[in-house]
Amino acid sequence: MRILLALSAALLLLSVGSGATASTSAPPQNGLMAVLGADGLYIVDPTAGTTKLIPGTEKVDEATWSPDGMSLAVSEWGDEGSSVYTMTPNGSERRPLTHDGISPTWSPDGEWVAVSRLISPNGEAETSALVVIRVDPTEELLLPINGDVSAPAWSPDGKFIAFVDGTGRIQLVSPDGAKRRTLKVDAAGSTLSWSPDSSRLAFSRTIGANRSVVVVLDLATGNETVLPGEEV
């Protein structure tokens, strides 16, 4: 939890530094917050000081706002595994996107959602793949990536989806799968966050047995900045 908060703080610092005014990484335009609790997913209005539990979300594991703040993409776990769907902030208009998917991330235009999904190619052992899904009407594209995929994050400029591969490296892939780049940094087990101008990535890095720090990577130069503070 502390690392996730640190990543959020890092993203705010990146936003201020870039001078950008809006992006998919910024808080949604409706000013609301989606917070996971013991009983499900809560919608928090900081201005009004209200908190509302969305009914039927006790199995929700992840939630992310659409760029316009009108919808949420969520993943949840049930008896038959995980699933990803979209819904409005009051829990209505639920639209299934895929089964066996986790970690949804929106495209900047709000028309697509990328997820990490379990597949069994040719009956082989299960592995996770990166799937890009159009929200309405539903269609999907399985990107040609070998090996596991975790923590996908769509860049605010829409050009790349970052993810952590099975070796703990960060990879960038274009939404159509045509372009791909591997970053030689260790981000195993991390959540990824883009700067609003898509020039930098923030992630956590484990140091030793029990410590993690937040690192900001400049994609153009490869320079890394370790932010002050650490989890012990």
Side-chain angles (χ1 to χ4, degrees), residues 53-73:
L53 174 65
I54 302 177
T57 59
E58 60 276 0
K59 295 182 180 180
V60 168
D61 181 60
E62 299 166 297
T64 181
W65 288 100
S66 62
D68 62 6
M70 299 297 291
S71 301
L72 287 159

Side-chain angles (χ1 to χ4, degrees), residues 183-205:
L183 308 179
K184 296 181 179 181
V185 295
D186 182 11
S190 179
T191 298
L192 306 178
S193 293
W194 286 91
S195 65
D197 63 0
S198 301
S199 68
R200 288 167 286 179
L201 276 169
F203 59 94
S204 63
R205 172 179 292 160

Side-chain angles (χ1 to χ4, degrees), residues 20 28 30 66 81 87 91 99 115-116 130 132 140 152 155 175 180 209 215 220 222:
N30 58 24
S66 62
M87 65 180 181
H99 291 289
V115 302
S116 172
L130 186 60
V132 179
E140 65 178 49
S155 65
R180 190 168 169 183
V215 180

Side-chain angles (χ1 to χ4, degrees), residues 53-231:
L53 174 65
I54 302 177
T57 59
E58 60 276 0
K59 295 182 180 180
V60 168
D61 181 60
E62 299 166 297
T64 181
W65 288 100
S66 62
D68 62 6
M70 299 297 291
S71 301
L72 287 159
V74 303
S75 64
E76 71 173 19
W77 289 87
D79 296 336
E80 298 182 358
S82 63
S83 61
V84 174
Y85 58 90
T86 62
M87 65 180 181
T88 62
N90 65 9
S92 64
E93 301 181 28
R94 302 191 180 195
R95 179 189 295 273
L97 293 182
T98 186
H99 291 289
D100 297 324
I102 59 172
S103 304
T105 178
W106 291 88
S107 63
D109 59 12
E111 295 185 3
W112 299 80
V113 172
V115 302
S116 172
R117 189 174 72 186
L118 287 176
I119 61 172
S120 299
N122 302 319
E124 300 174 0
E126 285 189 336
T127 185
S128 54
L130 186 60
V131 182
V132 179
I133 306 168
R134 184 189 293 274
V135 176
D136 186 20
T138 302
E139 65 175 279
E140 65 178 49
L141 173 66
L142 177 65
L143 300 190
I145 296 171
N146 296 322
D148 289 333
V149 171
S150 65
W154 211 310
S155 65
D157 64 9
K159 294 181 179 179
F160 289 100
I161 301 170
F163 65 92
V164 180
D165 66 20
T167 68
R169 302 286 189 181
I170 297 175
Q171 293 201 34
L172 308 180
V173 62
S174 59
D176 61 2
K179 298 179 181 179
R180 190 168 169 183
R181 175 185 175 190
T182 300
L183 308 179
K184 296 181 179 181
V185 295
D186 182 11
S190 179
T191 298
L192 306 178
S193 293
W194 286 91
S195 65
D197 63 0
S198 301
S199 68
R200 288 167 286 179
L201 276 169
F203 59 94
S204 63
R205 172 179 292 160
T206 301
I207 298 178
N210 301 306
R211 293 188 302 162
S212 296
V213 295
V214 175
V215 180
V216 177
L217 174 68
D218 187 306
L219 298 180
T221 65
N223 293 335
E224 298 182 8
T225 302
V226 177
L227 298 186
E230 62 183 28
E231 180 182 38

